[in-house]
Amino acid sequence: MSFEMFVPGKAFFGIGSVSKVGNLMGDGMKKAIIVTDKNLAKHGTAKKVEQILTARGVDTVIFDSVEPEPSVETTDEAASLAKKFGAQAVVGLGGGSCLDVAKAVSILLTNEGSAANYQGLGLVKKPGVLKVMIPTTAGTGSEVTFTAVLIRKSDGFKGGINDEKLFADYAILDPELTVTAPPKVTASSGMDALIHALEAYTSRYATWFSDMFAEEALRRIGKWIRVATWNGRNLEARSQMQYAAYMAGLALVHAGVGACHSLSYPLGGMFGVGHGVANALLIPHVVRANALCCPERYTDVLRWLGYIDEEANINPRDGALLCAEALEELLEDLELPTTLESLGVGITEKHFPEMAEKALAVSRPMENNPRVFDKDLCIKIYEEAMK
């Protein structure tokens, strides 16, 4: 086994650590754009960050139009504002959608054209401007990944800008900023982190290094996701989930994610289903499909999520299939949707062939997956998830 080991950027963790954002602006930096959404602007979180930067002598402009499923068009709009303002730094503030757009804006300030030009792998020519990511949810790990996932409104295609130039220079992990996230957001983003760790651990490209982060994330999420969801004021739970999401992001960076992510993309691109909700709904079915490819690994996941004792002796096949059942139970505990039909967005079986083709086009996660997926298997997964 041979592999690379690195931790991108520098991260600050702790209650109140958002106060450090001003000190991260380099000498001579006088203008920054804050990329966020209307909810964080409305509740004053964006204003708080703006005040910290202003006190440091940095002028700011706030772009607060990021959607839950961000688009190429919105990203281009944010980049246009940043260029007109003369931004020398980009601060991403919010969930994964805001952070993804912020990272894309950074490279669009130094590279010509639309964000659509860079959807793919390694297409960005020049490094972007300074990027500081401040997550307000515990889930996507976008603050530590090199991906910005965007939807093209023109054709509903959902795909990532994947390039090491998108790594954030700094990440600020302040659990206090996640306290106001409502239960559904906490649950769906927490499941996103869980699935990052699970799919990284069962990836064909998993390494000892990525396994270390995946295990750490899964143990913490298994213990704390329910508490954080239903007792959002519990700062211990919020802190544990914020740290776990970062660990899961590091596992993802080194090992990638799998078929669940590819299968979830059409749900977002075609029907506007949130990324965390889509992944959570599909993951039990993907685990069943993959179970016999690496049963020992899925049994490890079952153990780390707290469903069996550390020393329990269990047949790996049984453990892998129980892992899928445990994930279904977790979705019920978190009151997240468990069927495509329950989403209420108009998905029918006639959509499955197109969804399968779009899922297979998201080729990188499919290549990571322990089992080879074809169109028929993709359709089978959607059929199982329907009702």
Side-chain angles (χ1 to χ4, degrees):
M1 181 181 287
S2 62
F3 50 88
E4 293 183 5
M5 296 179 287
F6 64 94
V7 177
K10 186 174 184 178
F12 300 89
F13 179 89
I15 302 296
S17 57
V18 68
S19 63
K20 297 180 182 293
V21 64
N23 296 331
L24 300 181
M25 298 295 110
D27 293 337
M29 286 191 179
K30 297 298 181 183
K31 291 187 175 183
I33 182 171
I34 300 172
V35 177
T36 189
D37 59 33
K38 294 194 182 300
N39 184 55
L40 289 168
K42 177 182 177 182
H43 288 94
T45 309
K47 190 69 176 179
K48 177 180 180 179
V49 173
E50 181 184 41
Q51 290 171 343
I52 295 169
L53 291 169
T54 300
R56 183 66 167 74
V58 179
D59 293 331
T60 61
V61 63
I62 296 175
F63 180 87
D64 63 1
S65 297
V66 178
E67 317 100 305
E69 286 290 301
S71 66
V72 164
E73 292 79 3
T74 295
T75 303
D76 289 346
E77 182 185 345
S80 177
L81 174 63
K83 288 175 183 176
K84 289 177 182 177
F85 182 66
Q88 300 164 293
V90 179
V91 177
L93 176 69
S97 298
C98 295
L99 305 193
D100 281 5
V101 171
K103 291 189 293 187
V105 168
S106 170
I107 61 102
L108 289 176
L109 284 170
T110 55
N111 293 269
E112 296 181 357
S114 166
N117 299 346
Y118 304 101
Q119 285 179 298
L121 179 63
L123 301 179
V124 181
K125 294 181 174 62
K126 301 176 184 177
V129 301
L130 180 77
K131 298 179 285 298
V132 181
M133 299 296 115
I134 309 175
T136 61
T137 63
T140 69
S142 182
E143 67 274 9
V144 73
T145 66
F146 60 79
T147 298
V149 180
L150 307 170
I151 294 173
R152 290 198 303 252
K153 291 181 179 178
S154 58
D155 60 2
F157 172 77
K158 181 176 180 179
I161 302 174
N162 302 283
D163 197 291
E164 291 188 2
K165 298 180 185 68
L166 264 70
F167 279 130
D169 298 287
Y170 299 103
I172 296 177
L173 310 174
D174 188 336
E176 197 167 33
L177 297 180
T178 70
V179 167
T180 57
K184 183 176 179 180
V185 172
T186 301
S188 61
S189 58
M191 283 300 300
D192 193 24
L194 186 157
I195 295 163
H196 288 162
L198 184 156
E199 291 205 296
Y201 186 65
T202 54
S203 167
R204 292 174 56 230
Y205 300 102
T207 69
W208 298 333
F209 194 63
S210 63
D211 287 353
M212 174 178 65
F213 297 119
E215 177 181 352
E216 187 72 16
L218 288 165
R219 287 187 182 278
R220 291 173 188 268
I221 293 169
K223 182 176 180 179
W224 293 100
I225 188 171
R226 294 173 179 83
V227 181
T229 297
W230 299 119
N231 184 7
R233 293 170 296 180
N234 186 318
L235 280 174
E236 173 69 7
R238 292 293 192 178
S239 298
Q240 293 282 354
M241 288 300 297
Q242 186 80 301
Y243 184 75
Y246 185 77
M247 292 291 106
L250 287 171
L252 180 163
V253 165
H254 289 87
V257 288
C260 185
H261 272 72
S262 293
L263 289 162
S264 76
Y265 273 34
L267 298 184
M270 295 172 64
F271 302 99
V273 179
H275 179 70
V277 170
N279 273 312
L281 189 155
L282 293 169
I283 191 60
H285 306 284
V286 174
V287 168
R288 281 197 187 91
N290 287 337
L292 300 185
C293 297
C294 48
E296 293 85 359
R297 294 220 148 207
Y298 285 114
T299 302
D300 288 340
V301 173
L302 181 73
R303 198 182 310 275
W304 296 338
L305 290 177
Y307 282 89
I308 57 175
D309 293 337
E310 288 291 324
E311 303 304 322
N313 186 14
I314 184 170
N315 178 283
R317 177 188 179 278
D318 294 340
L321 294 174
L322 280 172
C323 184
E325 292 184 20
L327 291 167
E328 288 174 333
E329 179 184 296
L330 179 55
L331 295 183
E332 292 176 2
D333 287 349
L334 299 176
E335 296 184 7
L336 287 173
T338 56
T339 67
L340 294 176
E341 188 175 59
S342 68
L343 294 173
V345 294
I347 300 174
T348 65
E349 292 185 357
K350 70 180 183 181
H351 293 113
F352 292 169
E354 181 184 359
M355 291 166 63
E357 290 173 1
K358 288 182 179 290
L360 289 169
V362 188
S363 58
R364 189 71 178 272
M366 285 295 189
E367 292 168 5
N368 299 336
N369 198 68
R371 180 175 177 178
V372 176
F373 269 57
D374 57 17
K375 184 175 179 179
D376 288 341
L377 183 53
C378 291
I379 291 173
K380 181 183 177 184
I381 295 290
Y382 290 134
E383 288 173 344
E384 290 176 354
M386 188 64 184
K387 296 183 180 182

